[in-house]
């Protein structure tokens, strides 16, 4: 059941405040709940609870017990799968078929993978001869960093929150989470799960609110927060990076992208179309790794554009519980206005609109929803704003290319460097291209295929740092060298 009052979760208790903001469902823009906004007082209480848990039961807990509790969390998320699904779809409007396949299972898997990781990860060891003819040994010992401030976006709310909270807790830290103001439900629901499985009070805290002069700013500027991990827009990441500089606190920033797909004429055509349709339109184009620029080798260009158009026009736009829905709404009216403004800019810049470019006709009860059409453009110069700037909607520009050098130069000519998808059957070319792309993640003949042991993060203005596998351990632990003279 979707609750209509969404509360902060501090020291194991649900906490209301005297300031509320609306929670809306993007399919109709209807208000479906009220969220208690955390002020300075609640953020202070959450950070104090997290510090106390660190020095108390959580900090003193043996690793094996911590791992058991994290595994129990996975079981309990799965027991309450339908509640998480309903909450996530109420906040985002995304198709249940998508959230049931990606958001909720990954929300659980993020705890399992990092519980396994901390159980099994080895430590480095060196032995050295000493001048007195004896020796010493050195080994690396990992301690938690402390209280981690976790600032989350709205596009994959549970998945991207637990992607941080899973490794943070596995490494013995405590957390204060600030979900996006658009998507507060699953973070709050996870508080119930924490209590149910017996995670000690204060280990997991949630404060709701906005960024500036609200919970986000209060949390990231709090001197008792020992490290900050953030996912969101690059502009916001820059503000958080400045806040983290006070007190020299570590930051991990996962930020915006303007990802290019590169399609060679020798590709598996059907796979390239399926992958590019998904990377442009899944989650209504609101995936940081999604493709907004597609470069297609000239002999394949016309056929590729025609197949993309057909695929986009086949997508059923609809509500979450319709099993045939292929695409839901954008997250909010504000974001709809932003995406539509880029649709207008594309027109002004002289784009050929292959398909879409507006708002779809919807039934009366959904007319105020945040809908846009899947949109494809061609014909723009590389300098066009819709080719340079992140839109974060269901749209892409498709351009032809003739040579590898040409396409590499175009694909890399952007301030962002998050991800790419390269489609070719030539394995040497695949390696050559992947190695020269200025990105954190290069997929070949696939997209969003994730092994959580691998490094994840962005180059250039797409991010600072890597998480995933042992790279998460680097961020969420303080690595100490212990040197013992024998
Ligand atoms: P956003 O930057 O607007 O908000 C993200 C979070 O930051 C929210 O919780 C927000 O309340 C908070 N925030 C805003 N201002 C703040 C401030 N001054 N201090 C502290 N907190 C503040 O991003 P969004 O609109 O929620 O998400 C979409 C963006 O996220 C896109 O740019 C997308 O590319 C990016 N993203 C990146 C990744 C990645 O892994 N690189 C993943 C998902 C989304
Ligand atoms: O799969 C992940 O771990 C991850 N961080 C995905 C990010 C998607 C961005 O929207």
């Amino acid at each position: 059941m979707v609750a209509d009052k969404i509360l902060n979760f501090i020291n194991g208790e649900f906490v209301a405040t005297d300031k509320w903001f609306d929670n809306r469902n993007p399919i109709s823009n209807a208000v479906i709940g009220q969220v208690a906004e955390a002020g300075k007082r609640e953020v202070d209480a959450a950070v104090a609870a997290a510090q106390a848990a660190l020095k108390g039961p959580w900090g003193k807990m043996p690793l094996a017990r911590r791992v058991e509790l994290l595994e129990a969390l996975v079981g309990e998320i799965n027991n309450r799968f339908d509640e998480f699904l309903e909450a996530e779809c109420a906040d985002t409007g995304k198709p249940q078929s998508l959230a049931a396949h990606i958001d909720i299972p990954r929300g659980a898997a993020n705890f399992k993978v990092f519980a396994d990781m901390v159980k099994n990860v080895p430590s480095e060891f060196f032995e050295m001869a000493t001048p007195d003819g004896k020796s010493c040994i050195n080994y690396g010992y990992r301690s938690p960093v402390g209280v981690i401030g976790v600032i989350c976006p709205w596009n994959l709310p549970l998945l991207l929150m637990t992607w941080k909270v899973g490794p943070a807790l596995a490494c013995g830290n405590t957390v204060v989470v600030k979900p996006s103001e658009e998507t507060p439900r699953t973070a709050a629901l996870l508080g119930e799960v924490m209590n149910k499985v017996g995670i000690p009070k204060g280990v997991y805290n949630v404060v709701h609110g906005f960024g500036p002069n609200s919970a986000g700013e209060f949390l990231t500027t709090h001197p008792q927060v020992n490290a900050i991990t953030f996912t969101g827009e690059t502009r916001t990441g820059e503000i958080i990076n400045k806040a983290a500089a006070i007190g020299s606190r570590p930051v991990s920033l996962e930020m915006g992208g303007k990802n290019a797909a590169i399609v060679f004429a020798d590709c598996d055509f059907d796979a390239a179309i399926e992958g590019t349709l998904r990377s442009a339109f899944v989650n209504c184009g609101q995936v940081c790794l999604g493709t907004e620029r597609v470069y297609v080798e000239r002999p394949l260009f016309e056929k590729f554009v025609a197949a993309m158009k057909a695929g986009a026009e086949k997508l059923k736009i609809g509500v979450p519980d319709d099993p045939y829905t292929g695409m839901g709404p954008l997250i909010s009216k504000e974001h709809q206005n932003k995406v539509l403004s880029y649709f207008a800019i594309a027109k002004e810049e002289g784009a050929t609109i292959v398909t879409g470019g507006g708002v779809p006709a919807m039934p009366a009860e959904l007319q105020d929803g945040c809908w846009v059409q899947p949109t494809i453009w061609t014909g723009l110069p590389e300098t066009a704003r819709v080719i340079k700037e992140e839109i974060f909607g269901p749209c892409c520009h498709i351009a032809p290319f003739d040579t590898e050098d040409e396409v590499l130069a175009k694909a890399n000519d952007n301030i962002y460097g998050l991800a790419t998808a390269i489609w070719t059957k030539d394995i040497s070319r695949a390696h050559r291209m992947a190695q020269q792309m200025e990105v954190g993640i290069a997929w070949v003949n696939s997209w969003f295929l994730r092994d959580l042991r691998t490094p994840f993060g962005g180059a250039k203005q797409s991010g600072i740092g890597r998480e995933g596998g042992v790279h998460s351990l680097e961020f969420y632990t303080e690595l100490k060298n212990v040197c013992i003279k024998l």
Side-chain angles (χ1 to χ4, degrees), residues 106 155-156 159-160 163 254 287-289 448 450 452 456:
R106 255 300 296 281
N155 62 325
L156 299 161
L159 187 162
L160 289 176
W163 164 245
E254 295 183 354
V287 179
C288 60
L289 309 156
F448 208 171
R450 295 277 292 115
L452 303 189
F456 182 98

Side-chain angles (χ1 to χ4, degrees), residues 260-280 291 293-297 300 304 308 401 407 420-427 429-431 433-434 437 442-449:
I262 302 178
V263 184
F264 287 94
D266 69 353
C267 70
D268 173 335
F269 183 78
D270 292 343
I273 287 292
E274 187 276 330
T276 312
L277 282 169
R278 220 159 30 87
S279 70
T291 300
R293 299 181 289 151
V294 186
Y295 297 98
V296 182
E297 205 171 2
L300 199 62
F304 191 90
M308 285 289 290
F401 72 89
V407 74
T420 188
I422 299 160
W423 300 89
T424 179
K425 283 187 187 150
D426 178 338
I427 192 68
R429 173 155 62 196
H431 285 292
M433 294 294 295
M437 284 295 292
W443 277 290
V444 175
N445 298 329
S446 63
W447 177 75
F448 208 171
L449 189 54

Side-chain angles (χ1 to χ4, degrees), residues 150-156 160 163-164 178-183 207-221 228 230-240 243 253-259 285-290 331 334-335 338 390-392 416 418 441 456-458 461-463:
V150 184
I151 307 285
C152 308
W154 43 256
N155 62 325
L156 299 161
L160 289 176
W163 164 245
K164 311 291 199 167
K178 210 296 278 172
S180 167
E181 52 274 35
E182 307 287 356
T183 52
V207 288
H208 295 295
F210 304 84
N213 200 27
S214 183
E217 181 180 325
F218 303 149
L219 182 59
T220 51
T221 55
I228 302 167
F230 164 80
T231 309
E233 282 187 19
T234 296
R235 254 179 319 171
T236 314
E238 286 172 353
I239 295 168
I240 287 174
L253 303 176
E254 295 183 354
M255 308 194 286
K258 186 74 184 178
N259 310 301
Q286 303 166 118
V287 179
C288 60
L289 309 156
I331 190 68
E334 187 189 345
H335 193 50
K338 174 182 164 183
E390 182 185 52
I391 301 171
F392 218 54
Y416 297 110
L418 188 53
I441 304 145
F456 182 98
Q461 293 185 35
S462 287

